Protein backbone atom coordinates (compact mmCIF):
# COMPACT_ATOMS: atom_id res chain seq x y z
CA UNK A 1 0.00 0.00 0.00
CA UNK A 2 1.36 3.45 -0.81
CA UNK A 3 1.88 6.05 1.90
CA UNK A 4 -0.99 8.15 0.60
CA UNK A 5 -3.35 5.15 0.76
CA UNK A 6 -2.33 4.67 4.41
CA UNK A 7 -3.37 8.27 5.16
CA UNK A 8 -6.68 7.83 3.33
CA UNK A 9 -7.47 4.60 5.19
CA UNK A 10 -6.75 6.39 8.47
CA UNK A 11 -9.05 9.24 7.40
CA UNK A 12 -11.93 6.83 6.64
CA UNK A 13 -11.46 4.77 9.78
CA UNK A 14 -11.42 7.87 11.99
CA UNK A 15 -14.04 10.08 10.27
CA UNK A 16 -16.27 7.48 8.56
CA UNK A 17 -15.90 9.24 5.20
CA UNK A 18 -13.41 10.72 2.77
CA UNK A 19 -13.04 14.34 1.67
CA UNK A 20 -13.02 15.33 -2.00
CA UNK A 21 -15.36 12.72 -3.48
CA UNK A 22 -16.89 13.75 -6.82
CA UNK A 23 -20.25 15.49 -6.68
CA UNK A 24 -22.87 15.28 -9.44
CA UNK A 25 -23.13 13.52 -12.78
CA UNK A 26 -20.30 13.94 -15.28
CA UNK A 27 -21.87 15.30 -18.48
CA UNK A 28 -20.23 17.20 -21.33
CA UNK A 29 -16.86 17.32 -19.56
CA UNK A 30 -17.93 18.67 -16.16
CA UNK A 31 -19.72 17.72 -12.97
CA UNK A 32 -23.36 18.84 -12.88
CA UNK A 33 -26.09 18.22 -10.27
CA UNK A 34 -29.18 16.17 -11.12
CA UNK A 35 -31.63 18.51 -12.86
CA UNK A 36 -34.22 17.56 -10.23
CA UNK A 37 -31.71 18.49 -7.49
CA UNK A 38 -32.22 15.05 -5.90
CA UNK A 39 -29.44 13.14 -4.20
CA UNK A 40 -29.14 9.77 -2.50
CA UNK A 41 -26.67 8.18 -0.09
CA UNK A 42 -23.96 5.63 -0.60
CA UNK A 43 -23.19 3.24 2.26
CA UNK A 44 -20.03 1.80 3.75
CA UNK A 45 -20.88 -1.95 3.86
CA UNK A 46 -18.22 -2.54 6.54
CA UNK A 47 -20.11 -0.35 8.99
CA UNK A 48 -23.62 -0.32 7.53
CA UNK A 49 -23.60 3.49 7.55
CA UNK A 50 -23.87 6.14 4.82
CA UNK A 51 -20.62 7.95 4.04
CA UNK A 52 -21.48 10.33 1.17
CA UNK A 53 -24.28 11.44 -1.11
CA UNK A 54 -24.42 11.53 -4.90
CA UNK A 55 -26.78 12.72 -7.65
CA UNK A 56 -29.99 10.74 -8.04
CA UNK A 57 -30.57 11.04 -11.79
CA UNK A 58 -33.60 10.45 -13.95
CA UNK A 59 -34.60 10.41 -17.63
CA UNK A 60 -33.91 14.17 -17.99
CA UNK A 61 -30.26 13.71 -16.97
CA UNK A 62 -29.99 10.64 -19.20
CA UNK A 63 -31.22 12.66 -22.15
CA UNK A 64 -28.66 15.41 -21.44
CA UNK A 65 -25.87 12.80 -21.30
CA UNK A 66 -26.94 11.04 -24.50
CA UNK A 67 -27.22 14.41 -26.26
CA UNK A 68 -23.68 15.30 -25.12
CA UNK A 69 -22.38 11.91 -26.29
CA UNK A 70 -24.08 12.24 -29.71
CA UNK A 71 -22.70 15.73 -30.17
CA UNK A 72 -19.21 14.53 -29.24
CA UNK A 73 -19.40 11.84 -31.94
CA UNK A 74 -19.07 14.53 -34.60
CA UNK A 75 -16.68 16.81 -32.68
CA UNK A 76 -12.88 16.74 -32.35
CA UNK A 77 -13.08 13.07 -31.31
CA UNK A 78 -14.07 12.15 -34.84
CA UNK A 79 -11.10 13.97 -36.31
CA UNK A 80 -8.64 12.19 -34.04
CA UNK A 81 -6.96 9.19 -35.59
CA UNK A 82 -6.71 5.85 -33.80
CA UNK A 83 -3.13 6.58 -32.66
CA UNK A 84 -4.26 9.81 -30.97
CA UNK A 85 -7.07 7.94 -29.21
CA UNK A 86 -4.52 5.37 -28.09
CA UNK A 87 -2.29 8.11 -26.65
CA UNK A 88 -5.16 9.40 -24.49
CA UNK A 89 -5.80 5.90 -23.18
CA UNK A 90 -2.08 5.45 -22.46
CA UNK A 91 -2.05 8.76 -20.56
CA UNK A 92 -5.10 7.55 -18.60
CA UNK A 93 -3.17 4.39 -17.66
CA UNK A 94 -0.26 6.54 -16.42
CA UNK A 95 -2.61 8.71 -14.33
CA UNK A 96 -4.33 5.60 -12.93
CA UNK A 97 -0.96 4.32 -11.78
CA UNK A 98 -0.31 7.65 -10.00
CA UNK A 99 -3.74 7.79 -8.39
CA UNK A 100 -4.20 4.05 -7.72
CA UNK A 101 -4.05 4.48 -3.94
CA UNK A 102 -7.00 6.86 -3.77
CA UNK A 103 -9.04 4.90 -6.31
CA UNK A 104 -8.49 1.67 -4.37
CA UNK A 105 -9.53 3.19 -1.05
CA UNK A 106 -12.72 4.66 -2.55
CA UNK A 107 -13.52 1.35 -4.29
CA UNK A 108 -13.03 -0.59 -1.05
CA UNK A 109 -15.09 1.88 0.99
CA UNK A 110 -17.98 1.98 -1.49
CA UNK A 111 -18.19 -1.74 -2.36
CA UNK A 112 -16.96 -3.28 0.90
CA UNK A 113 -14.24 -5.34 -0.80
CA UNK A 114 -10.86 -5.85 0.86
CA UNK A 115 -8.37 -3.09 0.10
CA UNK A 116 -5.84 -5.60 -1.26
CA UNK A 117 -8.49 -6.79 -3.75
CA UNK A 118 -9.30 -3.22 -4.74
CA UNK A 119 -5.58 -2.62 -5.30
CA UNK A 120 -5.55 -5.72 -7.53
CA UNK A 121 -8.58 -4.34 -9.39
CA UNK A 122 -6.67 -1.10 -10.00
CA UNK A 123 -3.77 -3.02 -11.53
CA UNK A 124 -6.28 -4.76 -13.83
CA UNK A 125 -7.99 -1.48 -14.72
CA UNK A 126 -4.66 0.12 -15.59
CA UNK A 127 -3.81 -2.88 -17.76
CA UNK A 128 -7.16 -2.53 -19.55
CA UNK A 129 -6.32 1.04 -20.54
CA UNK A 130 -2.79 0.05 -21.53
CA UNK A 131 -4.02 -2.91 -23.60
CA UNK A 132 -6.63 -0.94 -25.53
CA UNK A 133 -4.23 2.01 -25.91
CA UNK A 134 -2.01 -0.37 -27.85
CA UNK A 135 -4.89 -1.91 -29.75
CA UNK A 136 -6.54 1.30 -31.01
CA UNK A 137 -4.32 1.58 -34.10
CA UNK A 138 -4.29 -2.17 -34.82
CA UNK A 139 -7.97 -2.50 -35.53
CA UNK A 140 -8.36 -3.19 -39.23
CA UNK A 141 -10.62 -4.94 -41.68
CA UNK A 142 -9.87 -7.58 -44.31
CA UNK A 143 -9.40 -7.55 -48.04
CA UNK A 144 -11.87 -9.81 -49.84
CA UNK A 145 -10.73 -12.12 -52.68
CA UNK A 146 -13.26 -11.42 -55.45
CA UNK A 147 -11.04 -11.86 -58.52
CA UNK A 148 -9.32 -9.41 -60.84
CA UNK A 149 -12.32 -7.30 -61.71
CA UNK A 150 -13.18 -6.27 -58.15
CA UNK A 151 -11.58 -4.68 -55.13
CA UNK A 152 -13.32 -5.65 -51.90
CA UNK A 153 -12.51 -4.80 -48.31
CA UNK A 154 -14.08 -4.39 -44.91
CA UNK A 155 -13.69 -1.52 -42.45
CA UNK A 156 -14.40 -1.39 -38.72
CA UNK A 157 -16.31 1.76 -37.82
CA UNK A 158 -17.20 2.90 -34.27
CA UNK A 159 -20.74 1.75 -33.47
CA UNK A 160 -21.70 5.19 -32.10
CA UNK A 161 -22.86 5.95 -28.56
CA UNK A 162 -22.25 3.00 -26.23
CA UNK A 163 -24.20 2.66 -22.97
CA UNK A 164 -22.50 0.91 -20.07
CA UNK A 165 -24.69 -0.45 -17.26
CA UNK A 166 -22.36 -1.34 -14.42
CA UNK A 167 -22.90 -3.57 -11.35
CA UNK A 168 -21.79 -3.01 -7.74
CA UNK A 169 -19.43 -5.96 -7.28
CA UNK A 170 -16.62 -4.75 -9.61
CA UNK A 171 -17.56 -1.09 -10.14
CA UNK A 172 -14.32 0.20 -11.64
CA UNK A 173 -13.15 -3.02 -13.32
CA UNK A 174 -16.44 -3.45 -15.16
CA UNK A 175 -16.51 0.22 -16.13
CA UNK A 176 -12.97 0.01 -17.48
CA UNK A 177 -13.39 -3.18 -19.48
CA UNK A 178 -16.27 -1.49 -21.34
CA UNK A 179 -15.11 2.10 -21.53
CA UNK A 180 -11.49 1.47 -22.63
CA UNK A 181 -12.36 -0.59 -25.75
CA UNK A 182 -15.33 1.65 -26.60
CA UNK A 183 -13.02 4.69 -26.64
CA UNK A 184 -10.28 2.81 -28.51
CA UNK A 185 -12.82 2.01 -31.22
CA UNK A 186 -13.84 5.69 -31.47
CA UNK A 187 -17.24 5.45 -29.75
CA UNK A 188 -18.60 7.88 -27.20
CA UNK A 189 -20.03 6.57 -23.94
CA UNK A 190 -22.78 7.09 -21.38
CA UNK A 191 -22.05 5.01 -18.27
CA UNK A 192 -24.42 4.28 -15.42
CA UNK A 193 -22.72 2.89 -12.32
CA UNK A 194 -24.73 0.88 -9.79
CA UNK A 195 -26.48 3.02 -7.19
CA UNK A 196 -24.58 1.17 -4.45
CA UNK A 197 -21.16 2.12 -5.87
CA UNK A 198 -21.19 5.35 -7.90
CA UNK A 199 -17.88 7.04 -7.07
CA UNK A 200 -15.03 5.39 -8.93
CA UNK A 201 -16.78 5.67 -12.33
CA UNK A 202 -17.11 9.41 -11.72
CA UNK A 203 -13.43 9.59 -10.73
CA UNK A 204 -12.52 7.71 -13.90
CA UNK A 205 -14.44 10.20 -16.05
CA UNK A 206 -12.58 13.08 -14.41
CA UNK A 207 -9.24 11.28 -14.91
CA UNK A 208 -9.93 10.64 -18.61
CA UNK A 209 -10.75 14.29 -19.05
CA UNK A 210 -7.37 15.16 -17.48
CA UNK A 211 -5.77 12.65 -19.89
CA UNK A 212 -7.09 14.70 -22.83
CA UNK A 213 -10.46 13.11 -23.66
CA UNK A 214 -12.65 15.74 -25.38
CA UNK A 215 -15.77 16.93 -23.55
CA UNK A 216 -18.83 14.75 -23.97
CA UNK A 217 -16.95 11.63 -25.09
CA UNK A 218 -17.47 9.95 -21.69
CA UNK A 219 -20.49 10.83 -19.57
CA UNK A 220 -21.54 9.26 -16.27
CA UNK A 221 -25.08 9.45 -14.87
CA UNK A 222 -25.70 8.11 -11.36
CA UNK A 223 -28.93 6.88 -9.78
CA UNK A 224 -31.12 3.81 -9.51
CA UNK A 225 -31.77 1.31 -12.29
CA UNK A 226 -35.44 2.12 -12.87
CA UNK A 227 -34.83 5.90 -13.06
CA UNK A 228 -31.52 5.96 -15.00
CA UNK A 229 -30.75 2.50 -16.43
CA UNK A 230 -34.17 1.88 -17.97
CA UNK A 231 -34.42 5.22 -19.87
CA UNK A 232 -30.79 4.86 -20.95
CA UNK A 233 -31.21 1.43 -22.57
CA UNK A 234 -34.47 2.52 -24.25
CA UNK A 235 -33.03 5.83 -25.52
CA UNK A 236 -33.08 6.08 -29.33
CA UNK A 237 -29.73 7.91 -29.25
CA UNK A 238 -27.92 4.80 -27.96
CA UNK A 239 -26.34 2.43 -30.49
CA UNK A 240 -24.94 -0.30 -28.27
CA UNK A 241 -25.48 -1.53 -24.70
CA UNK A 242 -23.06 -3.41 -22.48
CA UNK A 243 -24.88 -4.73 -19.43
CA UNK A 244 -23.40 -6.64 -16.51
CA UNK A 245 -25.80 -7.75 -13.78
CA UNK A 246 -28.51 -10.20 -12.86
CA UNK A 247 -30.46 -12.41 -15.28
CA UNK A 248 -33.78 -10.75 -14.43
CA UNK A 249 -32.45 -7.25 -15.08
CA UNK A 250 -30.62 -8.47 -18.20
CA UNK A 251 -33.93 -9.70 -19.62
CA UNK A 252 -35.51 -6.32 -18.83
CA UNK A 253 -32.60 -4.60 -20.60
CA UNK A 254 -33.16 -6.80 -23.69
CA UNK A 255 -36.81 -5.83 -23.74
CA UNK A 256 -35.89 -2.16 -23.30
CA UNK A 257 -33.43 -2.39 -26.20
CA UNK A 258 -35.83 -4.22 -28.50
CA UNK A 259 -37.97 -1.28 -29.67
CA UNK A 260 -34.95 0.54 -31.11
CA UNK A 261 -33.26 -2.73 -32.15
CA UNK A 262 -30.21 -1.67 -30.14
CA UNK A 263 -27.45 -4.25 -30.13
CA UNK A 264 -26.15 -5.49 -26.82
CA UNK A 265 -23.68 -7.59 -24.87
CA UNK A 266 -25.05 -9.24 -21.74
CA UNK A 267 -22.82 -10.55 -18.98
CA UNK A 268 -25.18 -12.16 -16.48
CA UNK A 269 -25.00 -14.68 -13.67
CA UNK A 270 -23.14 -17.90 -13.13
CA UNK A 271 -23.06 -21.04 -11.03
CA UNK A 272 -19.64 -22.03 -12.14
CA UNK A 273 -18.21 -25.50 -11.55
CA UNK A 274 -14.77 -25.99 -10.06
CA UNK A 275 -13.82 -29.64 -10.62
CA UNK A 276 -11.20 -31.21 -8.36
CA UNK A 277 -10.06 -34.65 -9.55
CA UNK A 278 -8.22 -37.30 -7.55
CA UNK A 279 -4.89 -36.58 -9.29
CA UNK A 280 -4.85 -32.84 -8.47
CA UNK A 281 -2.13 -30.92 -6.68
CA UNK A 282 -4.11 -30.64 -3.47
CA UNK A 283 -2.44 -27.47 -2.15
CA UNK A 284 -3.04 -25.64 -5.43
CA UNK A 285 -6.64 -26.86 -5.53
CA UNK A 286 -7.32 -25.73 -1.95
CA UNK A 287 -5.92 -22.27 -2.67
CA UNK A 288 -7.94 -22.17 -5.88
CA UNK A 289 -11.22 -23.07 -4.19
CA UNK A 290 -10.71 -20.46 -1.47
CA UNK A 291 -9.99 -17.72 -3.99
CA UNK A 292 -12.80 -18.85 -6.29
CA UNK A 293 -15.57 -18.50 -3.69
CA UNK A 294 -14.33 -16.18 -0.94
CA UNK A 295 -12.73 -13.43 -3.06
CA UNK A 296 -15.00 -10.36 -2.86
CA UNK A 297 -17.14 -12.38 -0.40
CA UNK A 298 -18.32 -14.57 -3.28
CA UNK A 299 -20.00 -11.66 -5.07
CA UNK A 300 -18.49 -12.44 -8.45
CA UNK A 301 -20.38 -13.64 -11.51
CA UNK A 302 -17.42 -15.89 -12.29
CA UNK A 303 -17.07 -17.23 -8.72
CA UNK A 304 -16.33 -20.94 -8.47
CA UNK A 305 -19.46 -21.55 -6.45
CA UNK A 306 -19.82 -25.31 -7.05
CA UNK A 307 -16.97 -27.55 -5.89
CA UNK A 308 -17.31 -30.80 -7.85
CA UNK A 309 -15.09 -33.11 -5.86
CA UNK A 310 -13.90 -36.65 -6.55
CA UNK A 311 -15.16 -38.99 -3.81
CA UNK A 312 -11.77 -40.67 -3.40
CA UNK A 313 -10.24 -37.47 -1.96
CA UNK A 314 -13.38 -35.89 -0.50
CA UNK A 315 -12.68 -36.56 3.18
CA UNK A 316 -9.12 -35.17 3.38
CA UNK A 317 -9.89 -32.31 0.98
CA UNK A 318 -12.97 -31.12 2.84
CA UNK A 319 -11.17 -31.57 6.17
CA UNK A 320 -8.35 -29.25 5.14
CA UNK A 321 -10.70 -26.78 3.44
CA UNK A 322 -12.99 -26.55 6.46
CA UNK A 323 -10.08 -25.98 8.84
CA UNK A 324 -8.78 -23.09 6.75
CA UNK A 325 -12.20 -21.47 6.34
CA UNK A 326 -12.91 -21.72 10.09
CA UNK A 327 -9.76 -19.64 10.68
CA UNK A 328 -10.92 -16.69 8.55
CA UNK A 329 -10.80 -13.24 10.16
CA UNK A 330 -13.77 -11.08 9.23
CA UNK A 331 -13.56 -7.30 9.26
CA UNK A 332 -13.90 -3.97 7.46
CA UNK A 333 -12.50 -4.16 3.92
CA UNK A 334 -10.01 -1.38 4.61
CA UNK A 335 -8.39 -3.47 7.38
CA UNK A 336 -7.58 -6.25 4.86
CA UNK A 337 -9.31 -9.14 6.64
CA UNK A 338 -9.63 -12.67 5.17
CA UNK A 339 -13.27 -11.94 4.36
CA UNK A 340 -14.99 -8.58 4.02
CA UNK A 341 -18.68 -7.63 4.17
CA UNK A 342 -21.26 -8.19 1.47
CA UNK A 343 -22.39 -5.11 -0.38
CA UNK A 344 -25.88 -4.43 0.98
CA UNK A 345 -28.46 -5.56 3.54
CA UNK A 346 -30.57 -6.79 0.62
CA UNK A 347 -27.73 -9.03 -0.57
CA UNK A 348 -27.16 -10.27 2.99
CA UNK A 349 -30.82 -11.23 3.24
CA UNK A 350 -30.74 -12.97 -0.18
CA UNK A 351 -27.73 -15.08 0.82
CA UNK A 352 -29.26 -15.96 4.18
CA UNK A 353 -32.57 -16.96 2.57
CA UNK A 354 -30.79 -19.42 0.23
CA UNK A 355 -28.88 -20.99 3.11
CA UNK A 356 -31.87 -21.14 5.48
CA UNK A 357 -33.88 -22.93 2.81
CA UNK A 358 -31.08 -25.48 2.32
CA UNK A 359 -30.73 -26.05 6.06
CA UNK A 360 -34.48 -26.56 6.36
CA UNK A 361 -34.27 -29.11 3.54
CA UNK A 362 -31.65 -31.06 5.51
CA UNK A 363 -28.43 -30.13 3.62
CA UNK A 364 -25.24 -30.78 5.55
CA UNK A 365 -23.41 -27.57 6.54
CA UNK A 366 -19.66 -28.08 7.08
CA UNK A 367 -18.96 -24.56 8.27
CA UNK A 368 -20.77 -21.20 8.59
CA UNK A 369 -24.42 -20.95 7.60
CA UNK A 370 -25.47 -17.69 9.28
CA UNK A 371 -25.20 -13.91 9.28
CA UNK A 372 -21.98 -12.99 11.13
CA UNK A 373 -22.15 -10.76 14.21
CA UNK A 374 -19.16 -9.91 16.36
CA UNK A 375 -17.15 -6.94 17.62
CA UNK A 376 -15.07 -7.14 14.42
CA UNK A 377 -18.12 -6.96 12.14
CA UNK A 378 -19.86 -4.19 14.15
CA UNK A 379 -22.85 -2.77 12.28
CA UNK A 380 -21.56 -4.07 8.92
CA UNK A 381 -23.21 -6.57 6.59
CA UNK A 382 -21.29 -9.81 7.01
CA UNK A 383 -22.05 -13.43 6.21
CA UNK A 384 -20.08 -16.33 7.63
CA UNK A 385 -17.90 -18.16 5.11
CA UNK A 386 -20.04 -21.19 4.41
CA UNK A 387 -19.68 -24.68 2.91
CA UNK A 388 -22.83 -26.72 2.19
CA UNK A 389 -23.20 -30.15 0.65
CA UNK A 390 -25.72 -30.48 -2.20
CA UNK A 391 -28.40 -33.17 -2.07
CA UNK A 392 -28.45 -33.87 -5.81
CA UNK A 393 -28.23 -32.17 -9.20
CA UNK A 394 -31.64 -30.50 -8.88
CA UNK A 395 -30.97 -29.06 -5.43
CA UNK A 396 -31.70 -25.28 -5.50
CA UNK A 397 -28.22 -24.61 -4.03
CA UNK A 398 -26.80 -26.26 -7.17
CA UNK A 399 -29.08 -24.52 -9.62
CA UNK A 400 -29.43 -20.99 -8.20
CA UNK A 401 -26.80 -18.27 -8.01
CA UNK A 402 -26.35 -17.21 -4.36
CA UNK A 403 -23.77 -14.43 -4.94
CA UNK A 404 -22.19 -14.68 -1.51
CA UNK A 405 -19.48 -16.59 0.39
CA UNK A 406 -21.32 -19.91 0.11
CA UNK A 407 -19.57 -22.89 -1.47
CA UNK A 408 -21.77 -25.79 -2.59
CA UNK A 409 -20.08 -29.21 -2.68
CA UNK A 410 -21.11 -31.92 -5.15
CA UNK A 411 -19.34 -35.25 -4.63
CA UNK A 412 -18.86 -37.37 -7.78
CA UNK A 413 -17.12 -40.55 -8.92
CA UNK A 414 -14.52 -39.77 -11.58
CA UNK A 415 -14.15 -37.37 -14.53
CA UNK A 416 -17.25 -38.39 -16.49
CA UNK A 417 -19.59 -37.74 -13.58
CA UNK A 418 -17.72 -34.50 -12.88
CA UNK A 419 -18.30 -33.27 -16.44
CA UNK A 420 -21.99 -34.21 -16.33
CA UNK A 421 -22.42 -32.32 -13.05
CA UNK A 422 -20.49 -29.32 -14.41
CA UNK A 423 -22.85 -28.98 -17.39
CA UNK A 424 -26.10 -29.50 -15.47
CA UNK A 425 -27.24 -25.94 -14.71
CA UNK A 426 -28.79 -23.26 -16.91
CA UNK A 427 -25.65 -21.10 -16.55
CA UNK A 428 -22.45 -21.38 -18.59
CA UNK A 429 -20.07 -18.55 -17.69
CA UNK A 430 -16.75 -20.05 -16.57
CA UNK A 431 -15.55 -23.47 -15.44
CA UNK A 432 -12.35 -24.79 -13.94
CA UNK A 433 -10.54 -28.04 -13.30
CA UNK A 434 -7.66 -29.13 -11.07
CA UNK A 435 -5.92 -32.24 -12.44
CA UNK A 436 -2.28 -33.03 -13.15
CA UNK A 437 -3.34 -35.09 -16.15
CA UNK A 438 -3.32 -32.42 -18.86
CA UNK A 439 -5.13 -34.66 -21.36
CA UNK A 440 -7.94 -35.14 -18.86
CA UNK A 441 -8.05 -31.38 -18.19
CA UNK A 442 -8.10 -30.48 -21.88
CA UNK A 443 -10.89 -33.00 -22.54
CA UNK A 444 -12.88 -31.26 -19.81
CA UNK A 445 -12.12 -27.89 -21.46
CA UNK A 446 -13.36 -29.29 -24.78
CA UNK A 447 -16.58 -30.75 -23.39
CA UNK A 448 -17.72 -28.25 -20.77
CA UNK A 449 -20.14 -25.50 -21.82
CA UNK A 450 -18.55 -22.25 -20.62
CA UNK A 451 -17.20 -19.00 -22.04
CA UNK A 452 -13.86 -19.43 -20.30
CA UNK A 453 -12.10 -22.45 -18.77
CA UNK A 454 -9.41 -22.32 -16.07
CA UNK A 455 -6.97 -25.21 -15.74
CA UNK A 456 -5.06 -25.49 -12.44
CA UNK A 457 -5.63 -21.82 -11.52
CA UNK A 458 -9.03 -20.22 -11.00
CA UNK A 459 -9.19 -16.67 -12.48
CA UNK A 460 -6.10 -17.37 -14.63
CA UNK A 461 -5.76 -14.76 -17.38
CA UNK A 462 -6.15 -11.03 -17.77
CA UNK A 463 -7.47 -8.34 -20.08
CA UNK A 464 -6.08 -10.28 -23.07
CA UNK A 465 -8.57 -13.12 -22.52
CA UNK A 466 -12.12 -12.77 -23.93
CA UNK A 467 -14.79 -13.13 -21.25
CA UNK A 468 -18.52 -13.79 -21.37
CA UNK A 469 -21.04 -16.58 -21.11
CA UNK A 470 -23.44 -18.89 -22.86
CA UNK A 471 -27.07 -19.79 -22.10
CA UNK A 472 -28.47 -17.79 -19.14
CA UNK A 473 -25.03 -16.34 -18.45
CA UNK A 474 -25.56 -14.08 -21.45
CA UNK A 475 -23.91 -13.54 -24.81
CA UNK A 476 -21.21 -11.49 -26.47
CA UNK A 477 -17.65 -11.15 -25.25
CA UNK A 478 -15.76 -8.44 -23.40
CA UNK A 479 -11.96 -8.12 -22.97
CA UNK A 480 -9.36 -9.10 -25.54
CA UNK A 481 -9.65 -8.13 -29.20
CA UNK A 482 -13.18 -9.61 -29.22
CA UNK A 483 -14.12 -6.91 -26.68
CA UNK A 484 -12.82 -4.21 -29.01
CA UNK A 485 -14.80 -5.52 -31.98
CA UNK A 486 -17.98 -5.33 -29.86
CA UNK A 487 -17.78 -1.57 -30.29
CA UNK A 488 -17.38 -1.68 -34.07
CA UNK A 489 -19.76 -2.04 -36.97
CA UNK A 490 -18.31 -3.75 -39.99
CA UNK A 491 -18.77 -2.26 -43.43
CA UNK A 492 -18.00 -4.16 -46.65
CA UNK A 493 -17.01 -2.18 -49.74
CA UNK A 494 -16.79 -3.71 -53.23
CA UNK A 495 -15.71 -1.86 -56.37
CA UNK A 496 -15.72 -3.11 -59.93
CA UNK A 497 -12.52 -2.04 -61.65
P1 LIG B 1 -28.75 -6.28 -8.42
O1 LIG B 1 -30.14 -6.84 -8.46
O2 LIG B 1 -27.79 -7.18 -7.77
O3 LIG B 1 -28.65 -4.86 -7.90
P2 LIG B 1 -28.95 -5.61 -11.18
O4 LIG B 1 -28.70 -6.54 -12.28
O5 LIG B 1 -30.37 -5.22 -10.93
O6 LIG B 1 -28.26 -6.24 -9.91
O7 LIG B 1 -28.10 -4.27 -11.39
C1 LIG B 1 -27.03 -4.12 -12.28
C2 LIG B 1 -27.09 -2.73 -12.87
O8 LIG B 1 -28.30 -2.62 -13.63
C3 LIG B 1 -27.12 -1.60 -11.86
O9 LIG B 1 -26.39 -0.50 -12.39
C4 LIG B 1 -28.59 -1.26 -11.79
O10 LIG B 1 -28.87 0.05 -11.35
C5 LIG B 1 -29.00 -1.45 -13.23
N1 LIG B 1 -30.43 -1.66 -13.46
C6 LIG B 1 -31.36 -2.12 -12.59
N2 LIG B 1 -32.57 -2.19 -13.17
C7 LIG B 1 -32.42 -1.74 -14.45
C8 LIG B 1 -33.28 -1.59 -15.58
N3 LIG B 1 -34.58 -1.90 -15.51
N4 LIG B 1 -32.77 -1.14 -16.73
C9 LIG B 1 -31.46 -0.84 -16.85
N5 LIG B 1 -30.59 -0.97 -15.82
C10 LIG B 1 -31.05 -1.41 -14.64
Amino acid sequence: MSGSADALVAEVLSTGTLKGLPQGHFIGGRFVPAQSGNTMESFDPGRGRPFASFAAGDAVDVDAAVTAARKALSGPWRQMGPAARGRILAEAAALLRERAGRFAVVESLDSGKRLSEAEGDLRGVTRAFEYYAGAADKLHGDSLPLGRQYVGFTTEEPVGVAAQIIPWNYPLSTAARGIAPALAAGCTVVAKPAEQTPFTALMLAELLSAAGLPDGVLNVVTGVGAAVGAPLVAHPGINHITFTGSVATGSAVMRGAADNVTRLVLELGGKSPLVVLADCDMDAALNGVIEAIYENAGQICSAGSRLILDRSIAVPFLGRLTTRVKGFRLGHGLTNPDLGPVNSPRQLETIDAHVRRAVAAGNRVYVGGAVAKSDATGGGWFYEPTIIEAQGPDDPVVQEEIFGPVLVVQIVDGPDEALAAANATSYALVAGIYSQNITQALRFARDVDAGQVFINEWFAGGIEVPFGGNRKSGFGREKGMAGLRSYCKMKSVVARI
Side-chain angles (χ1 to χ4, degrees):
M1 195 198 307
S2 69
S4 74
D6 279 339
L8 296 171
V9 170
E11 182 183 337
V12 174
L13 295 179
S14 63
T15 67
T17 186
L18 202 56
K19 286 195 285 292
L21 290 168
Q23 295 291 310
H25 307 305
F26 193 85
I27 298 176
R30 61 196 181 94
F31 286 109
V32 292
Q35 291 199 29
S36 66
N38 291 339
T39 60
M40 57 190 293
E41 286 177 318
S42 195
F43 284 73
D44 169 359
R47 303 187 201 222
R49 288 209 301 259
F51 69 91
S53 62
F54 61 96
D58 59 27
V60 178
D61 303 304
V62 168
D63 195 53
V66 175
T67 303
R70 287 226 73 81
K71 186 163 164 239
L73 266 184
S74 52
W77 187 233
R78 189 170 181 198
Q79 306 309 322
M80 268 184 207
R85 295 200 298 269
R87 275 194 293 275
I88 292 174
L89 298 185
E91 177 61 17
L95 290 175
L96 277 163
R97 221 170 251 119
E98 273 172 28
R99 302 181 193 175
R102 184 174 179 82
F103 269 87
V105 170
V106 175
E107 189 80 329
S108 169
L109 171 62
D110 212 3
S111 68
K113 70 175 62 192
R114 296 183 300 169
L115 181 59
S116 57
E117 289 181 36
E119 288 167 342
D121 291 356
L122 257 296
R123 287 190 288 278
V125 165
T126 307
R127 274 290 300 137
F129 278 92
E130 235 167 37
Y131 177 84
Y132 288 112
D137 59 1
K138 294 160 194 76
L139 182 64
H140 53 72
D142 291 320
S143 67
L144 307 171
L146 296 171
R148 284 179 54 77
Q149 287 181 323
Y150 299 91
V151 172
F153 59 92
T154 63
T155 58
E156 297 282 5
E157 299 176 356
V159 68
V161 180
Q164 304 281 336
I165 312 272
I166 300 161
W168 45 260
N169 59 336
Y170 281 86
L172 189 62
S173 305
T174 313
R177 78 179 182 209
I179 290 168
L183 298 180
C187 292
T188 63
V189 175
V190 179
K192 185 218 128 13
E195 54 271 34
Q196 296 86 348
T197 51
F199 288 110
T200 47
L202 293 165
M203 289 164 63
L204 181 65
E206 190 180 25
L207 178 143
L208 274 156
S209 197
L213 197 70
D215 292 350
V217 174
L218 171 60
N219 308 276
V220 179
V221 182
T222 56
V224 300
V228 177
L232 178 58
V233 299
H235 199 294
I238 291 293
N239 304 107
H240 177 95
I241 300 161
T242 301
F243 171 82
T244 304
S246 61
V247 177
T249 307
S251 306
V253 166
M254 272 183 101
R255 283 191 290 275
D259 280 346
N260 298 315
V261 197
T262 307
R263 51 190 261 183
L264 71 173
V265 168
L266 295 179
E267 205 268 274
L268 308 177
K271 192 76 192 187
S272 298
L274 190 167
V275 171
V276 174
L277 295 183
D279 62 2
C280 71
D281 170 338
M282 210 186 270
D283 290 330
L286 280 165
N287 289 338
V289 170
I290 286 173
E291 199 180 345
I293 188 63
Y294 299 117
E295 182 97 357
N296 204 22
Q299 304 162 115
I300 312 184
C301 11
S302 53
S305 50
R306 291 189 292 138
L307 168 60
I308 298 178
L309 182 59
D310 195 285
R311 192 181 308 279
S312 64
I313 56 165
V315 171
F317 194 89
L318 288 171
R320 289 180 63 186
L321 182 62
T322 306
T323 303
R324 279 184 60 178
V325 171
K326 278 186 179 150
F328 276 9
R329 182 176 71 82
L330 275 59
H332 194 286
L334 286 173
T335 67
N336 269 330
D338 296 311
L339 187 75
V342 300
N343 178 260
S344 67
R346 191 189 60 165
Q347 193 56 28
L348 189 64
E349 175 48 36
T350 303
I351 297 164
D352 197 37
H354 280 285
V355 175
R356 271 190 276 123
R357 187 172 56 171
V359 169
N363 291 50
R364 175 172 177 188
V365 177
Y366 288 88
V367 55
V371 170
K373 281 266 165 245
S374 70
D375 288 348
T377 61
W381 304 314
F382 289 83
Y383 202 79
E384 292 175 353
T386 298
I387 303 176
I388 294 185
E389 190 166 324
Q391 302 209 60
D394 299 329
D395 192 330
V397 292
V398 170
Q399 296 297 331
E400 295 171 6
E401 185 178 44
I402 298 175
F403 222 62
V406 180
L407 179 68
V408 175
V409 182
Q410 296 176 263
I411 294 177
V412 295
D413 291 296
D416 292 345
E417 264 191 51
L419 175 69
N423 278 335
T425 73
S426 52
Y427 293 110
L429 188 56
V430 304
I433 185 165
Y434 283 78
S435 165
Q436 301 207 67
N437 178 341
I438 193 66
T439 302
Q440 192 78 265
L442 287 171
R443 282 190 187 140
F444 174 81
R446 180 192 64 194
D447 295 335
V448 73
D449 189 14
Q452 192 175 343
V453 181
F454 304 124
I455 297 177
N456 291 330
E457 187 185 309
W458 196 267
F459 297 131
I463 188 67
E464 304 84 348
V465 182
F467 174 70
N470 307 327
R471 295 192 271 160
K472 279 201 175 159
S473 293
F475 53 82
R477 293 293 179 266
E478 296 193 79
K479 299 168 65 180
M481 291 305 282
L484 183 55
R485 286 192 203 96
S486 282
Y487 295 98
C488 299
K489 47 186 182 184
M490 184 185 280
K491 179 178 281 171
S492 305
V493 180
V494 179
R496 187 180 173 96
I497 58 174

